[in-house]
Amino acid sequence: MMVPAALLLLGALTAVLAPRLLARADWPDREPVVALWVWQCVVATVLLCCALSMALSAAAAWTAVRGPLFAPAPHGVVEAYALGTGGSWAAVTAVALACGGVWTGAMLVGEVALARRHRRRREAEILRRAPLLPGEEPGADRLVVVEGERPDAWWLPGSAPRLVITTAALRRLKGRQVDAVVAHEQGHARARHDWLLHCSAALAGGFPRVPVFAAFRDEMHRLVELAADDTASRRHGRLTTALALVGLNEDRGVFGPCSAPEDHVPRRVHRLLAPPDRLTPVRRLRLTACAALLPALPVLVAFVPGLRALG
């Protein structure tokens, strides 16, 4: 039972230390795409630690699980894991982790179902505000203009994704600012940021007392916007993108003294107007490679007794 406990300890250390290290680092705002990858690897490592610990605990508690799990392994490998020493704690750990996995899946399904209901409501609202012309097929246009007194633009995901923009936004935005808004929303669509937001919301909603999942959700919301800002600025310039961002948000009170602390629009505008220096390609590659190695740690811990027995 030492390996399942070591995996849980590794998962706990990753969940505690990784968010603190990322919060103290100055490079996530400079490289949001790399930061998104690092956060995904951190959360994948935590979940993988729990999954492997659950499997080994179940193998220690029940021979019906142990047989299929260790069927191809020599007898010495099975003995190296000391699976018969877990007692009742092995069953309790396996059941608790299995319930956590089922709950995570249920929360993800609920999150996706909620997003689909929300999307259907918005599609019905768009159809009401911008009815189809005779002979026009639903979902044929990727750009939909709707009447609206408030400047706004959003990407509507789905089988036929569309960009929706209000007439107030078209009146306020000048020249290439509309193109910058389109490029920003296309950046979200190409990177499938909606799935990142669904997964992070499901984990944070399912386990509200686990800080790493709450930080994962908050950082996903912030970093996907920074990444989309960079996509738009590379095409249409940072000043144009910043002006478009101001034009869409200046009526919402986000630039005043009473703006909400969690509103990141002013910081995004400042970042576009005074861009920080990017990391060198070598350092970006190093961070990406190190993050990719994180999920390999729990796999290595799980296989160490077996590799020693074979060696």
Side-chain angles (χ1 to χ4, degrees), residues 122 142-143 152-157 161-165 173 177-194 197 224-225 227-233 235-236 241 244-245 248-249 252 268:
R122 300 205 81 165
R142 283 186 165 271
L143 177 64
D152 203 358
W154 67 91
W155 189 264
L156 195 64
R162 289 176 290 173
L163 173 64
V164 184
I165 189 167
L173 301 178
Q177 294 175 18
V178 176
D179 297 331
V181 171
V182 172
H184 176 99
E185 299 301 333
Q186 285 177 339
H188 285 312
R190 287 198 188 97
R192 298 309 304 265
H193 287 160
D194 54 324
L197 298 179
V224 297
E225 295 299 335
D229 288 344
D230 288 347
T231 300
S233 65
R235 290 188 180 184
H236 305 287
T241 306
L245 198 57
L248 289 177
N249 293 278
R252 302 180 184 182
R268 289 166 57 194

Side-chain angles (χ1 to χ4, degrees), residues 175-240:
R176 297 177 63 193
Q177 294 175 18
V178 176
D179 297 331
V181 171
V182 172
H184 176 99
E185 299 301 333
Q186 285 177 339
H188 285 312
R190 287 198 188 97
R192 298 309 304 265
H193 287 160
D194 54 324
W195 278 104
L196 275 179
L197 298 179
H198 292 332
C199 294
S200 62
L203 288 171
F207 304 95
R209 296 184 180 274
V210 181
V212 66
F213 294 148
F216 180 50
R217 176 196 56 197
D218 296 341
E219 285 298 287
M220 289 304 99
H221 279 278
R222 188 177 70 89
L223 291 171
V224 297
E225 295 299 335
L226 298 185
D229 288 344
D230 288 347
T231 300
S233 65
R234 282 194 294 269
R235 290 188 180 184
H236 305 287
R238 290 186 172 272
L239 178 59
T240 301

Side-chain angles (χ1 to χ4, degrees), residues 164-176:
V164 184
I165 189 167
T166 63
T167 52
L170 293 177
R171 286 193 297 267
R172 176 166 295 180
L173 301 178
K174 307 299 181 184
R176 297 177 63 193

Side-chain angles (χ1 to χ4, degrees), residues 15-277:
V16 171
L17 296 179
R20 294 184 179 182
L21 293 175
L22 287 170
R24 293 177 182 177
D26 63 345
W27 59 265
D29 284 359
R30 299 156 66 185
E31 298 293 344
V33 175
V34 178
L36 285 169
W37 169 250
V38 172
W39 267 105
Q40 291 175 73
C41 291
V42 167
V43 173
T45 302
V46 174
L47 296 179
L48 191 56
C49 286
C50 294
L52 291 173
S53 180
M54 178 195 69
L56 292 175
S57 297
W62 302 291
T63 56
V65 177
R66 187 184 314 165
L69 189 63
F70 288 91
H75 183 69
V77 172
V78 181
E79 291 183 344
Y81 283 90
L83 296 175
T85 61
S88 60
W89 284 106
V92 171
T93 302
V95 170
L97 292 174
C99 290
V102 172
W103 180 245
T104 301
M107 290 300 296
L108 181 58
V109 171
E111 181 68 26
V112 173
L114 181 64
R116 287 181 176 176
R117 287 197 298 269
H118 180 66
R119 185 176 70 243
R120 284 196 292 268
R121 285 198 300 268
R122 300 205 81 165
E123 287 176 345
E125 180 186 358
I126 291 169
L127 190 60
R128 179 181 59 82
R129 296 168 66 182
L132 297 175
L133 298 175
E136 186 179 4
E137 296 182 2
D141 295 328
R142 283 186 165 271
L143 177 64
V144 180
V145 180
V146 297
E147 289 287 341
E149 298 298 325
R150 181 178 179 177
D152 203 358
W154 67 91
W155 189 264
L156 195 64
S159 56
R162 289 176 290 173
L163 173 64
V164 184
I165 189 167
T166 63
T167 52
L170 293 177
R171 286 193 297 267
R172 176 166 295 180
L173 301 178
K174 307 299 181 184
R176 297 177 63 193
Q177 294 175 18
V178 176
D179 297 331
V181 171
V182 172
H184 176 99
E185 299 301 333
Q186 285 177 339
H188 285 312
R190 287 198 188 97
R192 298 309 304 265
H193 287 160
D194 54 324
W195 278 104
L196 275 179
L197 298 179
H198 292 332
C199 294
S200 62
L203 288 171
F207 304 95
R209 296 184 180 274
V210 181
V212 66
F213 294 148
F216 180 50
R217 176 196 56 197
D218 296 341
E219 285 298 287
M220 289 304 99
H221 279 278
R222 188 177 70 89
L223 291 171
V224 297
E225 295 299 335
L226 298 185
D229 288 344
D230 288 347
T231 300
S233 65
R234 282 194 294 269
R235 290 188 180 184
H236 305 287
R238 290 186 172 272
L239 178 59
T240 301
T241 306
L243 291 174
L245 198 57
V246 172
L248 289 177
N249 293 278
E250 62 181 342
D251 294 339
R252 302 180 184 182
V254 298
F255 296 104
C258 299
S259 60
E262 64 273 10
D263 203 316
H264 301 293
V265 176
R267 297 183 208 171
R268 289 166 57 194
V269 173
H270 181 268
R271 177 177 175 272
L272 287 167
L273 295 178
D277 294 332

